[in-house]
Amino acid sequence: MRSVCTAVLGPDYRIVELGFDVPLEGAVDQPWHRDFPMPEETRTERRLTSLAFNVTAVDTEEDMGPFEIAPGTQWDDGPEFEHGMFPPRSHYARYEERAVRKYPRRGDISARTALTIHRGTRNNSAKSRPVLVLGVDGPRPPTATGTTRRSRARTGSPCRSGSAATWTARSWTCWSR
């Protein structure tokens, strides 16, 4: 993971997020989304500034709601993206055409830019699908404030200021930092 972070983000990368995504029994298809709004340096310079690593804790089966990713969508952007993260439903057909479901085995690690459009899918089983998520950011531009890209993204959630958020099976979950 170190060599991937250094190659993509440079030697001054920082781990900014560590958490679990746990689609439980009854989880529904998430809306297509990216993990945070596109940073300006990505928009103007086409430079990736963050990575997300998923470490799978179980063998993923079709009925468990596998992770679905739309390769090549990391540059998709526009004012119609709700909170900079959620493309309009009119774009969904394009993502469904590109969609690739992932079936990792316990202990597998995947790396991606968190800007790639993706979603969790419906869990029709009685089994959960826990995944450890590690978020890594490259150095901040000189004008950036003390917030990470991920914490800025969370301000677009319905949570009150000063809380963090995550999308779960059916809704946003808010918690105090």
Side-chain angles (χ1 to χ4, degrees):
M1 288 178 21
R2 285 181 179 171
S3 43
V4 171
C5 289
T6 301
V8 175
L9 305 173
D12 297 325
Y13 66 86
R14 295 173 332 282
I15 295 173
V16 296
E17 178 177 43
L18 179 66
F20 273 93
D21 283 343
V22 186
L24 301 172
E25 177 181 4
V28 298
D29 286 341
Q30 290 180 327
W32 288 102
H33 66 281
R34 63 171 33 116
D35 290 338
F36 51 87
M38 183 178 289
E40 190 58 33
E41 59 266 41
T42 301
R43 184 177 292 107
T44 58
E45 301 170 29
R46 293 279 200 205
R47 182 167 52 90
L48 297 177
T49 59
S50 65
L51 292 171
F53 292 90
N54 288 6
V55 183
T56 304
V58 296
D59 294 344
T60 305
E61 300 169 10
E62 178 63 34
D63 64 346
M64 296 169 73
F67 182 76
E68 198 167 48
I69 190 164
T73 58
Q74 68 272 16
W75 310 119
D76 289 13
D77 193 32
E80 69 278 10
F81 275 49
E82 187 178 335
H83 304 295
M85 300 182 295
F86 298 92
R89 289 195 181 277
S90 61
H91 293 198
Y92 280 22
R94 179 171 173 268
Y95 302 133
E96 288 164 4
E97 283 175 9
R98 294 171 176 259
V100 176
R101 287 193 169 196
K102 299 296 183 176
Y103 300 94
R105 311 290 290 167
R106 181 179 43 173
D108 285 353
I109 300 173
S110 66
R112 63 182 169 85
T113 169
L115 296 175
T116 301
I117 305 298
H118 63 278
R119 68 180 179 177
T121 61
R122 179 180 307 276
N123 186 344
N124 293 313
S125 77
K127 302 168 280 195
S128 63
R129 186 180 54 80
V131 177
L132 176 72
V133 180
L134 181 73
V136 183
D137 277 358
R140 292 184 193 110
T143 58
T145 65
T147 60
T148 67
R149 289 169 183 82
R150 284 173 176 75
S151 65
R152 284 197 309 261
R154 290 184 181 123
T155 62
S157 78
C159 301
R160 64 181 170 74
S161 178
S163 3
T166 188
W167 177 264
T168 58
R170 294 183 177 86
S171 63
W172 283 98
T173 301
C174 306
W175 67 94
S176 296
R177 285 189 229 173

